[in-house]
Amino acid sequence: MCSDRSRVNISVDDARVKAKALYEARATGRPIPPFTDEQPALDMHDGYAIQRELVALLTAAGDTVVGYKAGLTSVPMQQMLGVGTPDYGPVLASTVYENGATTPGGAFIAPKVEAEIVFRLGTPLRGPGVTVAAAREAISEVMAGLEIVDSRIEDWRIRLADTVADLASNGAVVLGPPVELPDDCDVRLIGMAFSRNGELVATGAGAAALGDPAAVVAWLANVLGEHGVTLEAGQLIMTGALHAAVPMTPGDTFVAEFDRLGTVTLHMGDS
């Protein structure tokens, strides 16, 4: 959760004020206006400065970082926000659910769900200089995943700095059972069918995530390594959506069926 202070436009005090606003929005379920409404010059570096302060508040309150998520890993999403690179945020222990879980509807503000491939690392990775081949070697388990994305920003009116600050709009993740894939399995070609309440609503394949989900791991290791952060053994790496996010409403059931990885299911509770 580091940022380059030489490239940050806001002060430490301002970053802390904004992080506190996001922290309270998470606690109360009341969204806040976009930071970029009043400060349109805020950029990705400012977002990470705020994110760092928010993570400090969350971990001080007892949560722990158990991995990282990458967002904006598809070209259409990058184009939508006018960037040429993914973003990232922490995965918090309190937001990880088992397969088939019912998540409380009241825990989120404006949730959407997306299917993705999730890795668990068997050995540490520290960049810079991590190759895709090295990332593949470090992966010990692969899982089907459903990420709930949520925004503490009003009406999803996010620009890049807003979503980065807000933990890359991370809400929660539901994990399928871990799978050990053979060495010759190409995760780019793993297909997925996604349904809501029994109706097919999206399809995708691993290659939607930066061309190769393992490349997402290498990218994360290298970006974090520039700031002295190591991806540790046992950490989860969420590699990004394989399709456009689908809005959730109470009572919905979502199922993602993956080739080789099996099925992961999520129910959204009524409250």
Side-chain angles (χ1 to χ4, degrees):
M1 296 303 100
C2 299
S3 63
D4 185 346
R5 289 300 316 165
S6 66
R7 301 182 66 179
V8 172
N9 297 313
I10 60 174
S11 67
V12 172
D13 287 345
D14 193 9
R16 288 174 177 165
V17 168
K18 287 175 168 55
K20 182 65 173 177
L22 285 170
Y23 182 86
E24 292 176 351
R26 294 172 68 91
T28 63
R30 292 193 293 270
I32 60 175
F35 300 133
T36 53
D37 275 3
E38 292 189 355
Q39 295 171 273
L42 294 178
D43 61 15
M44 177 179 282
H45 302 286
D46 302 305
Y48 284 124
I50 301 165
Q51 185 188 116
R52 182 181 66 246
E53 299 295 340
L54 176 56
V55 172
L57 290 172
L58 293 166
T59 54
D63 220 331
T64 56
V65 175
V66 295
Y68 292 88
K69 67 152 289 184
L72 307 180
T73 54
S74 69
V75 171
M77 287 301 297
Q78 291 178 14
Q79 291 174 339
M80 186 178 74
L81 288 181
V83 298
T85 182
D87 67 352
Y88 68 84
V91 177
L92 300 169
S94 65
T95 68
V96 179
Y97 292 83
E98 294 183 354
N99 192 16
T102 297
T103 62
F108 307 104
I109 295 173
K112 304 178 184 182
V113 63
E114 50 196 38
E116 58 191 81
I117 293 171
V118 182
F119 296 128
R120 190 182 302 277
L121 296 183
T123 56
L125 280 175
R126 185 183 180 98
V130 174
T131 64
V132 176
R136 290 193 187 103
E137 286 290 324
I139 294 165
S140 64
E141 294 177 343
V142 189
M143 291 158 279
L146 290 174
E147 181 184 6
I148 298 174
V149 291
D150 194 20
S151 184
R152 274 59 61 169
I153 304 298
E154 290 176 349
D155 302 321
W156 278 97
R157 293 190 298 112
I158 54 172
R159 297 183 187 177
L160 183 59
D162 301 307
T163 184
V164 170
D166 192 20
L167 307 189
S169 301
N170 193 10
V173 59
V174 179
L175 299 175
V179 176
E180 293 186 24
L181 295 177
D183 292 339
D184 62 353
C185 178
D186 190 341
V187 291
R188 298 176 307 160
L189 306 181
I190 291 177
M192 182 279 307
F194 183 63
S195 64
R196 175 179 56 196
N197 303 327
E199 178 182 355
L200 182 69
V201 291
T203 59
L210 213 61
D212 182 346
V216 177
V217 180
W219 176 85
L220 266 172
N222 290 326
V223 170
L224 292 172
E226 291 175 358
H227 306 293
V229 178
T230 299
L231 292 179
E232 302 290 353
Q235 285 189 328
L236 298 170
I237 307 296
M238 298 166 61
T239 61
L242 305 184
H243 60 93
V246 177
M248 304 175 69
T249 57
D252 281 343
T253 295
F254 295 92
V255 178
E257 301 168 276
F258 285 79
D259 179 38
R260 295 184 176 248
L261 302 184
T263 298
V264 59
T265 301
L266 158 66
H267 310 282
M268 187 176 187
D270 293 328
S271 61

